Amino acid sequence: MYLKKIMPAISYDAITKMLPTLCSNLIYGRMLNKDNHHGPLFLTWYLTFDCNLNCKFCSTHDIKRNYAANMSLEKCLELADEIAKSGTRVVGFTGGEPLIDDRLFPVIRRLKQHGLIVYIVTNGLLLSAKAADIIDSGVDYITVSIDSNIAEEHDDMRRHSGVFEAALKGIEKLKSLRHGDTPQVKTTTVLHAGNYKRIEGILDFLSGYADHVSIQPITGGQANGPHGKELSDIKESFYPPEDEIRNILKNLSTRYPFLKQKYYRSIPDFWYNGARLKDVACWSPFLRLLVYPNGSAAHCTTNVCMSSVGNIHEASFMSVWNSAEMKKQRELIRTGNNKCLCWTHDVAFNALFASIAPLKYLPVLNKKS
């Protein structure tokens, strides 16, 4: 099943519950661009852009000036109810560092009362301290960012001494407390010039701790996301040599089959030959919504033309999802007039849906342009 590629431990019952929302998203969003009676299948919630680290490739401390958190716990809980009522099935919390926010676990508990799948992306510094809350609240997946198998190297990249050790101890504590295999623990390694030659050893090392391992490309240029560093700076400082990284990923895919997926195979294209990705359609506005700390909502962090589609302080969740601005942006994308390429880890499901052959033949009906 395709969804098991991005959530390996997901049950078939959970997948079955996703199907009505998925079908509605594809028909009313992608095919017709009309009001949808279901909300987005996936929701990414930036509860805060505050962070206890200051990673070299991240701009979260800069972007939080534009998205200051102003949502009360009461409003967050109301939004959680709206999200669940809409038919959204998966909610992910990222930032910033979500574990530093006191609203996180009350909101997760509310979402879990509605039966939603919930995941957290964390740097791991507070993982031990929050392990009991993670278990008790019912979180399904935890993604921990670890970029090396050498403590000093990871700590230098994250600009914080001790974060490597804290993350590994946190994973061990979480696994010792969990019931069965929930939450599933995955590590994600940011691939860059400083670690690409040792990526096999890094994945081997992390496989001894996590249930699943993964990588993502170093990236920048996100106007409305935490990876907003200038692309020129990122390329000069962090891009590995093209031929070498292609060979490394190809050879490593025999040991780590997930690297055979289109998303991972195309990382060098994302860095060096973006035009080769033109055949990969964007599914973001039809399947996904982002909620920012100030209540603003969007579906894209990178393209400045894909601005906010509304604010949940001013309209209901479903009104934002079906707003005129959202429909305008959907129209640009579904008719191929968006003129943008995006291959960030945030929209890795673009590659997933690109691999589902029947979706390539979905008609685009009721065109406005």
Side-chain angles (χ1 to χ4, degrees):
M1 193 70 179
Y2 292 102
L3 286 171
K4 280 188 170 286
K5 291 183 179 181
I6 53 175
M7 292 182 175
I10 192 171
S11 69
Y12 286 102
D13 178 63
I15 292 174
T16 300
K17 291 179 179 178
M18 290 182 179
L19 292 179
T21 298
L22 173 60
C23 293
S24 182
N25 286 176
L26 294 177
I27 294 170
Y28 291 100
R30 171 62 167 71
M31 293 174 62
L32 296 172
N33 197 11
K34 289 182 174 292
D35 278 359
N36 194 339
H37 297 298
H38 287 75
L41 183 62
F42 304 99
L43 183 107
T44 299
W45 196 334
Y46 293 105
L47 200 59
T48 179
F49 279 127
D50 287 330
C51 192
N52 48 11
L53 299 184
N54 186 21
C55 304
K56 289 182 177 180
F57 55 84
C58 189
S59 59
T60 186
H61 294 286
D62 295 323
I63 195 173
K64 73 177 183 180
R65 301 189 188 107
N66 300 326
Y67 296 98
N70 64 1
M71 205 181 305
S72 67
L73 175 58
E74 181 181 14
K75 181 62 179 177
C76 287
L77 294 175
E78 290 177 1
L79 178 56
D81 290 336
E82 286 189 73
I83 291 168
K85 185 178 180 180
S86 78
T88 294
R89 299 307 308 166
V90 181
V91 178
F93 291 91
T94 183
E97 173 50 52
L99 291 181
I100 69 175
D101 197 297
D102 292 337
R103 299 168 297 171
L104 177 66
F105 293 110
V107 174
I108 289 177
R109 289 185 176 93
R110 182 64 65 88
L111 291 169
K112 292 304 297 181
Q113 287 175 5
H114 292 291
L116 273 66
I117 295 170
V118 176
Y119 69 88
I120 297 173
V121 180
T122 176
N123 59 43
L125 188 60
L126 296 177
L127 200 51
S128 289
K130 301 294 185 178
D133 286 320
I134 292 169
I135 301 293
D136 180 67
S137 63
V139 173
D140 298 281
Y141 298 89
I142 291 281
T143 297
V144 187
S145 301
I146 303 180
D147 302 328
S148 178
N149 55 350
I150 301 172
E152 294 78 10
E153 183 177 72
H154 177 72
D155 291 356
D156 177 68
M157 190 68 165
R158 301 289 171 159
R159 290 179 173 151
H160 194 292
S161 179
V163 65
F164 178 82
E165 182 179 0
L168 293 181
K169 286 184 176 179
I171 291 173
E172 289 184 319
K173 183 171 182 179
L174 195 62
K175 291 176 71 175
S176 72
L177 294 177
R178 68 184 180 179
H179 312 294
D181 59 358
T182 303
Q184 287 279 289
V185 180
K186 183 176 82 171
T187 59
T188 295
T189 298
V190 177
L191 188 65
H192 58 86
N195 66 3
Y196 77 97
K197 290 184 178 181
R198 296 182 296 100
I199 190 60
E200 182 172 7
I202 293 171
L203 294 180
D204 288 348
F205 173 81
L206 294 175
S207 293
Y209 287 87
D211 301 303
H212 311 280
V213 295
S214 184
I215 63 173
Q216 69 181 84
I218 191 85
T219 185
Q222 293 186 16
N224 296 305
H227 299 285
K229 297 285 188 181
E230 292 293 332
L231 277 174
S232 56
D233 294 338
I234 293 291
K235 183 174 183 178
E236 181 178 348
S237 304
F238 295 112
Y239 280 19
E242 181 178 0
D243 290 341
E244 286 188 47
I245 192 60
R246 286 189 188 279
N247 289 332
I248 286 174
L249 292 177
K250 181 180 179 180
N251 294 334
L252 189 54
S253 66
T254 59
R255 291 198 58 225
Y256 289 95
F258 75 86
L259 292 174
K260 295 179 181 179
Q261 297 173 26
K262 186 175 180 65
Y263 170 71
Y264 300 100
R265 287 189 289 106
S266 300
I267 285 175
D269 287 330
F270 164 65
W271 280 332
Y272 292 102
N273 298 285
R276 293 182 180 176
L277 304 178
K278 62 184 179 181
D279 63 322
V280 180
C282 176
W283 294 95
S284 186
F286 315 114
L287 298 167
R288 179 196 192 208
L289 195 67
L290 312 169
V291 174
Y292 288 93
N294 66 345
S296 177
H299 67 86
C300 175
T301 62
T302 304
N303 190 332
V304 293
C305 297
M306 303 296 170
S307 58
S308 172
V309 297
N311 192 297
I312 59 91
H313 287 301
E314 301 167 0
S316 69
F317 180 71
M318 287 301 295
S319 294
V320 170
W321 178 239
N322 288 316
S323 69
E325 181 60 30
M326 177 61 102
K327 290 178 182 177
K328 176 183 175 182
Q329 294 181 24
R330 284 182 185 138
E331 193 66 20
L332 286 173
I333 290 175
R334 78 191 194 112
T335 55
N337 293 314
N338 48 307
K339 308 298 182 186
C340 58
L341 293 168
C342 183
W343 209 244
T344 69
H345 192 71
D346 288 335
V347 290
F349 62 80
N350 280 350
L352 169 69
F353 284 92
S355 69
I356 303 176
L359 295 186
K360 297 179 181 180
Y361 303 103
L362 280 181
V364 178
L365 305 174
N366 195 32
K367 292 182 182 180
K368 300 181 179 64
S369 61

